[in-house]
Amino acid sequence: MKPRALALLHYPVLDRRGDLVASAVTNLDLHDLARNAVTFGWDRFYVVTPIEEQRRLAERIRDHWCRGFGADYNPHRKKALELIEILPDLETAIGDWEKHSGETVVPVLTGASVRGGISCEQCLEMNHRQPLLLLFGTGWGLAPSLYQHGWPALEPIRGKGAYNHLPVRSAAAIIMDRLSGSARCP
Amino acid sequence: MKPRALALLHYPVLDRRGDLVASAVTNLDLHDLARNAVTFGWDRFYVVTPIEEQRRLAERIRDHWCRGFGADYNPHRKKALELIEILPDLETAIGDWEKHSGETVVPVLTGASVRGGISCEQCLEMNHRQPLLLLFGTGWGLAPSLYQHGWPALEPIRGKGAYNHLPVRSAAAIIMDRLSGSARCP
């Protein structure tokens, strides 16, 4: 398997009215996705926001746990948050991931409203051939503009009924588990 | 399949030093686990804490989204948080779930440090015969006293390495997905 990274985008994403917005960084998103990433052996976690103050906030959170008081208080958290890279836009994240992995990167989109989309198996097959960069949207999901690059999108998580409003924290945990190839239920 | 419920215990749980504590209610635990529960068709979500002020806080959160401003603002959230029952102890939760389901309930424990434990398949088989009540611990996990009832425990989520510090929000999402019997990756 080639290396794996995820990116949590705070822009371009939609709000509840379907308007294009830059969403606010959520402390627990950083912790939860970083802990998922280190658990499942992912290599990098990009936190992407164009707003400088929000990047500074994310840096303060990361640095508290990686260098500050938190690093001694909870070394497990340090190990997770060390995977975080905070960047202003997706292009920079793709560039960084291509530089790090030494290969061309084709991002894979995720979202509750994806129609069709590739299966986990297909995503794993892709990841056998090339590094993975999985994109998660905050707010009400990744903006339509991101779907115009021709990048593949992962089929949504289907529950029991029509309800499709999982938190990004839950969706990311489930997808990373599904892509881990662990022993599964029937 | 018989009905399913989960309980998030804030007591008896351990803190980072291994001491027995009552942990604080975390707003996003309530939202995330409720949204997981409604997605995967679970019937009830017990939030258990012996501290009256903490129960009042949890009730305020739930009622804001189920009856207050939040109910109009985001009906999806209302549908999720309506599954929440806030109770002072596990015994009361078991009693309520037995009354609701009309059957005897044997809780199933979860925890990162479980040795052995039943598989998802075995848990599903149990759930074919009897209602499920899955127990999640906050803080550093369910207290040892809970393991002295002879109740089954679910085998932990294994990642790629030795790191086993998933947030309870992620662990619950992954376990509920695994128990949903969705199409899986190899």
Side-chain angles (χ1 to χ4, degrees):
Chain A
M1 201 70 66
K2 302 274 188 172
R4 299 171 167 196
L6 71 155
L8 183 68
L9 272 59
H10 298 82
Y11 180 89
V13 295
L14 302 181
D15 70 4
R16 57 191 289 272
R17 287 179 299 270
D19 292 337
L20 186 68
V21 292
S23 67
V25 166
T26 300
N27 177 42
L28 277 187
D29 287 357
L30 272 50
H31 284 263
D32 285 13
L33 272 65
R35 291 163 78 183
N36 293 163
V38 71
T39 299
F40 292 111
W42 290 50
D43 305 277
R44 201 158 283 205
F45 169 25
Y46 295 105
V47 175
V48 178
T49 170
I51 301 174
E52 195 186 339
E53 288 84 353
Q54 291 279 300
R55 289 201 301 279
R56 279 207 297 264
L57 170 64
E59 284 160 4
R60 273 189 61 196
I61 293 169
R62 180 192 56 191
D63 294 348
H64 170 79
W65 292 99
C66 291
R67 297 183 214 161
F69 174 77
D72 288 327
Y73 179 79
N74 188 342
H76 300 302
R77 207 56 70 91
K78 175 177 191 286
K79 194 173 172 189
L81 272 72
E82 276 174 348
L83 299 183
I84 293 178
E85 290 285 334
I86 298 148
L87 294 173
D89 53 54
L90 177 58
E91 292 64 33
T92 313
I94 294 171
D96 183 86
W97 188 228
E98 289 188 330
K99 191 174 161 193
H100 177 80
S101 63
E103 300 194 50
T104 302
V105 166
V106 178
V108 176
L109 306 161
T110 66
S113 54
V114 169
R115 306 245 171 163
I118 64 170
S119 65
C120 280
E121 279 97 335
Q122 289 171 313
C123 188
L124 280 172
E125 281 165 24
M126 268 187 67
N127 191 205
H128 274 113
R129 297 192 306 271
Q130 61 193 60
L132 181 61
L133 179 60
L134 206 51
L135 308 187
F136 290 97
T138 53
W140 287 63
L142 297 170
S145 62
L146 291 165
Y147 288 87
Q148 291 166 2
H149 295 276
W151 295 333
L154 201 59
E155 62 186 5
I157 296 162
R158 302 266 177 233
K160 201 178 169 189
Y163 193 91
N164 68 341
H165 303 279
L166 281 177
V168 69
R169 294 173 292 281
S170 303
I174 291 168
I175 289 170
M176 293 167 88
D177 179 55
R178 288 184 179 189
L179 292 174
S180 74
S182 323
R184 318 312 317 233
C185 285
Chain B
M1 202 68 70
K2 301 273 185 172
R4 298 171 168 197
L6 70 154
L8 183 68
L9 271 58
H10 298 81
Y11 179 88
V13 296
L14 301 181
D15 70 4
R16 57 191 290 272
R17 287 181 298 271
D19 292 335
L20 186 68
V21 292
S23 67
V25 166
T26 299
N27 177 41
L28 276 187
D29 287 357
L30 272 50
H31 285 264
D32 286 13
L33 272 65
R35 290 163 79 183
N36 293 164
V38 69
T39 298
F40 292 109
W42 290 49
D43 304 277
R44 200 159 286 202
F45 168 23
Y46 295 104
V47 175
V48 177
T49 170
I51 300 173
E52 195 186 338
E53 288 83 353
Q54 291 278 302
R55 288 200 301 278
R56 280 206 298 262
L57 169 65
E59 283 162 3
R60 272 188 62 197
I61 294 169
R62 179 191 59 191
D63 294 348
H64 170 80
W65 292 101
C66 292
R67 298 184 211 159
F69 174 77
D72 287 329
Y73 180 80
N74 188 340
H76 299 303
R77 207 55 70 91
K78 176 178 190 288
K79 194 174 171 187
L81 273 72
E82 278 174 347
L83 299 183
I84 293 178
E85 290 284 334
I86 298 147
L87 294 174
D89 53 54
L90 177 58
E91 291 64 34
T92 314
I94 294 172
D96 183 86
W97 189 227
E98 290 190 330
K99 191 174 160 192
H100 176 81
S101 63
E103 300 192 51
T104 303
V105 166
V106 178
V108 176
L109 306 161
T110 66
S113 55
V114 169
R115 307 241 171 165
I118 63 170
S119 66
C120 279
E121 280 97 334
Q122 289 170 312
C123 188
L124 280 171
E125 279 164 28
M126 268 187 66
N127 191 205
H128 274 113
R129 297 190 307 271
Q130 61 192 62
L132 180 61
L133 178 61
L134 207 51
L135 307 188
F136 291 97
T138 53
W140 287 62
L142 297 170
S145 61
L146 291 165
Y147 290 87
Q148 291 167 1
H149 295 276
W151 296 333
L154 202 59
E155 62 187 4
I157 296 162
R158 302 266 176 233
K160 201 179 168 187
Y163 192 91
N164 67 342
H165 303 281
L166 281 177
V168 69
R169 293 172 293 281
S170 303
I174 290 168
I175 289 170
M176 293 167 88
D177 178 55
R178 288 183 178 188
L179 291 175
S180 75
S182 324
R184 320 310 321 229
C185 284

